[in-house]
Every structure is written in C-alpha cells, then in structure tokens.
C-alpha cells in the first residue's frame, strides 16, 4: 500500500470529527435546522418571527447556562425552574404589594435566587446526596411556596419601568436576548479563563482526585449552585417583565429543556465535559424546532412530546458518542 493511501486511510471522517468535537457538531446541526426551517416556511425568516425565537430563547437560555455549569461540575438541579418562578413571584409582590421601587425588588429577588441556590448546594455537600435526588424535593418546596404566596392567582400591576427589560429592543435585538449573551460571555470567561473553571472540570471528571490535588470541592460546588440560582432568578424576573404580571406558572417549562439543550450541546451528564456555548446552541435547536411546530399550526401540546423525544435522543447520542470515543482511544 502506498504512503498516500495509508495517509488517506488515516484521515478522520466527518462523523468522527463531529463526535469528537460536540461543539462543532451541534453548531452544524443548528445551522442545518435553521436553513431547513427557512426553506420550508416563508414566515421563518421574518423579523418578527426571528425576534420571537430570540426572546423565547433568552429565558430558557439563562436557565440552560445555569444547568450546563452544574452539569460540568457533575451535578443536576431540577429546582432551577421553580427558583425562577418563586423569585419572579416575590419580585412582583415586592413591587406591587410592598410598593418597593422595581430596581430594589429586582436586586432582592436576585439575592433570594442566590440564597436558594446556595441552600441547594449546602444540602448537597452537607448531606452527601446526589443533587438530582435532593433537588426533586427542593423543587417541590419552592413550587409549593409559589402557590402559597399567590393562591394560584397572578400578581398584576407590575410597573412599566421594568417591562422594558422583557419587552424592549436594542437596535432591533430583544433586551432579554442581549442580557443572555452578556451572561453567556461571563460564563465562558469563568469556565475557560479562570482557575474556578479549571476546578469545575476537574471536579466533574473526578471529585476525589480533585480533593487530593487540594481543590476545595465543596466551596466550588456552593459557588456554582449560587451562580445557578441567580441566573434562574434573573430568568424569572425577565419573564415577569415580559408578561407584565407575576404568573405562578413561570418556570414550569424550565426543567427538561435546559437539560436536553445541555446534552445536545455536548455537556456530559456525568460531568467534566462541555461548554455553556454548546448548551446555548442546543437550546437554539430546541427553540427553532418548537417555533416550526407553531408556524405549521401543530397543537402546542405536541411541544411537550417533542421536548421529551429530544431529551431521549440527546441522552442516547451522548452515551453512544462517549462509547465511540472510548473504543477509538
């Protein structure tokens, strides 16, 4: 066999490149879905529709960044949606019932989100439980607190000043989407350019080995859980600003989608692998698919089915790709 043939035989296939680099793979998938959507629907590329996609992506995107950060650490938090909902409701009560300026209410609600995230992290580290198990319980607590505070009734009369954060545009780009991009930039900087980011990946790969290296595993966990709680609270606040009311249903859709988006974006369910950017690409894929469902007049009830199918496919692909990488190694 000639040298050229040998070299050619060793050239990696496109499939192997995409599997080994999930970020490249999910970007190609996002681009392909975007192009196909534009071809099959004449309404997809309209300015209004793209604005709808971007605005919707912003809310779930913030929770996705939070969930992806925890998954890199090797954790999962199923209460992030209810944290966002509870903080949104509390912000509405502070503005409407307590009469506080919306800026003060916003800050206090963010602090509450950080406190709830910190509580989750403390319970995980103190009790030694897996976060998936623990946050099933805390999700029920936070969700119950929403119903206790609101009696199932929306809080109306949200000040117009804060509504710009949810409904406004900057140079034609929705404000929530701009905020999400800023948070994404911060998350990328933290995970790629700081010691804390390196510690997160080390803990996600092997927490015991990280401890032996002197990394303060529990402290990093507490910080990331706190960060995740703050982002969830921010998503809840922006949704209140978007709706103009504090609905008790805020956050209910922020459970499966962020997990699915993170896995689609290459964040390993076992920890230590992935990027918040890939998770946002994954969230974009889900947002476009759901938008196409709406454009074609399919019942919105099918969105739950589609989200569930995407979760199953994403987790299955994640498991198969890692098995492929182990065999190739």
């Amino acid at each position: 066999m000639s040298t050229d043939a040998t070299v050619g035989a060793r050239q990696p296939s496109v499939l192997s490149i995409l599997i080994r680099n999930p970020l490249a793979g999910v970007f190609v998938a996002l681009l392909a879905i975007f192009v196909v959507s534009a071809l099959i629907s004449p309404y997809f590329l309209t300015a209004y529709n793209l604005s709808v996609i971007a605005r919707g992506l912003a809310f779930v995107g913030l929770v996705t960044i939070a969930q992806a950060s925890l998954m890199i650490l090797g954790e999962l938090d199923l209460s992030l949606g209810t944290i966002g909902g509870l903080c949104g409701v509390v912000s509405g009560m502070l503005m409407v019932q307590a009469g506080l300026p919306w800026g003060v209410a916003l800050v206090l609600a963010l602090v509450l989100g950080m406190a709830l995230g910190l509580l989750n992290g403390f319970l995980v580290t103190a009790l030694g439980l897996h976060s998936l198990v623990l946050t099933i319980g805390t999700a029920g607590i936070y969700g119950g607190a929403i119903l206790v505070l609101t009696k199932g009734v929306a809080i109306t009369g949200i000040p117009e000043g804060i509504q710009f954060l949810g409904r406004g545009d900057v140079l034609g780009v929705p404000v929530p989407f701009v905020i999400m991009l800023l948070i994404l930039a911060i998350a990328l900087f933290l995970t790629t350019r700081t010691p804390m980011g390196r510690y997160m990946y080390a803990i996600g790969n092997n927490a015991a080995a990280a401890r032996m290296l002197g990394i303060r595993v529990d402290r990093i966990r507490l910080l990331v859980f706190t960060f995740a709680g703050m982002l969830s609270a921010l998503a809840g606040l922006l949704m209140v600003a978007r709706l103009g009311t504090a609905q008790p249903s805020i956050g209910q859709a922020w459970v499966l989608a962020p997990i699915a988006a993170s896995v689609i974006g290459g964040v390993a369910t076992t920890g230590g692998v992935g990027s918040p950017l890939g998770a946002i690409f994954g969230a974009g894929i889900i947002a476009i698919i759901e938008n196409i469902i709406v454009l074609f007049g399919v019942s919105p009830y099918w969105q739950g089915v589609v989200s569930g199918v995407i979760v199953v496919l994403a987790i299955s692909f994640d498991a198969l790709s890692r098995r492929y990488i182990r065999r190739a190694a």
Side-chain angles (χ1 to χ4, degrees):
M1 183 179 293
S2 66
T3 303
D4 292 340
T6 303
V7 173
R10 292 178 180 176
Q11 291 294 324
S13 66
V14 174
L15 178 61
S16 67
I17 292 175
L18 295 181
I19 289 177
R20 289 176 179 275
N21 189 346
L23 193 60
V26 72
F27 178 75
V28 171
L30 175 61
L31 185 61
I33 291 175
F34 186 91
V35 172
V36 170
S37 299
L39 292 175
I40 63 177
S41 173
Y43 305 104
F44 180 78
L45 285 180
T46 61
Y48 173 76
N49 188 62
L50 293 178
S51 176
V52 168
I53 295 175
R55 200 179 301 273
L57 175 59
F59 304 113
V60 72
L62 287 169
V63 184
T64 297
I65 295 171
Q67 193 69 267
S69 300
L70 287 168
M71 289 173 66
I72 290 171
L73 197 64
E75 307 289 349
L76 268 175
D77 191 339
L78 298 184
S79 71
L80 293 181
T82 51
I83 288 177
L86 179 57
C87 292
V89 165
V90 169
S91 70
M93 295 179 67
L94 292 174
M95 287 183 282
V96 176
Q97 299 176 7
L100 293 179
W102 66 263
V104 175
L106 187 150
V107 171
L108 292 177
L110 288 178
V111 171
L112 175 61
M114 295 172 66
L116 295 177
L118 177 62
L119 176 61
N120 284 348
F122 173 76
L123 292 175
V124 167
T125 56
L127 300 179
L129 295 176
H130 193 282
S131 54
L132 175 63
V133 176
L134 181 81
T135 55
I136 291 175
T138 56
I141 295 172
Y142 303 152
I146 293 174
L147 296 178
V148 169
L149 292 173
T150 64
K151 305 295 190 298
V153 179
I155 299 172
T156 59
I158 302 299
E160 293 185 3
I162 196 175
Q163 293 181 22
F164 173 78
L165 295 178
R167 301 178 181 179
D169 297 304
V170 176
L171 299 178
V173 181
V175 171
F177 189 73
V178 173
I179 294 174
M180 187 208 71
L181 291 180
L182 292 174
I183 295 297
L184 176 61
I186 294 172
L188 287 174
F189 176 79
L190 290 175
T191 54
T192 61
R193 294 288 186 267
T194 67
M196 179 179 171
R198 294 192 293 272
Y199 297 159
M200 288 169 60
Y201 285 99
I203 294 169
N205 279 307
N206 192 322
R211 278 197 176 91
M212 293 178 64
L213 292 173
I215 297 175
R216 297 182 177 181
V217 174
D218 289 346
R219 175 177 293 184
I220 299 298
R221 280 178 177 156
L222 291 175
L223 289 173
V224 177
F225 270 100
T226 302
F227 178 67
M230 182 189 70
L231 294 189
S232 301
L234 179 58
L237 290 165
L238 293 178
M239 183 58 77
V240 169
R242 168 63 175 159
L243 299 175
T245 61
Q247 298 280 353
S249 60
I250 290 176
Q252 291 181 0
W254 300 340
V255 179
L256 285 180
I259 297 174
S262 298
V263 175
I264 292 171
V267 183
T269 54
T270 53
V273 176
S275 165
L277 178 58
I280 290 298
F281 286 162
I285 290 174
I286 296 175
I288 291 174
I289 292 174
E290 292 182 345
N291 180 257
I292 285 296
I293 290 175
V294 173
L295 290 180
F296 276 92
V298 180
S299 170
Y301 297 115
W302 280 99
Q303 290 188 13
V305 176
V306 172
S307 296
V309 170
I310 291 174
V311 171
V312 173
L313 292 177
I315 294 176
S316 300
F317 180 78
D318 178 65
L320 291 174
S321 64
R322 299 191 190 291
R323 188 180 304 172
Y324 173 86
I325 291 174
R326 286 197 299 269
R327 288 179 179 177

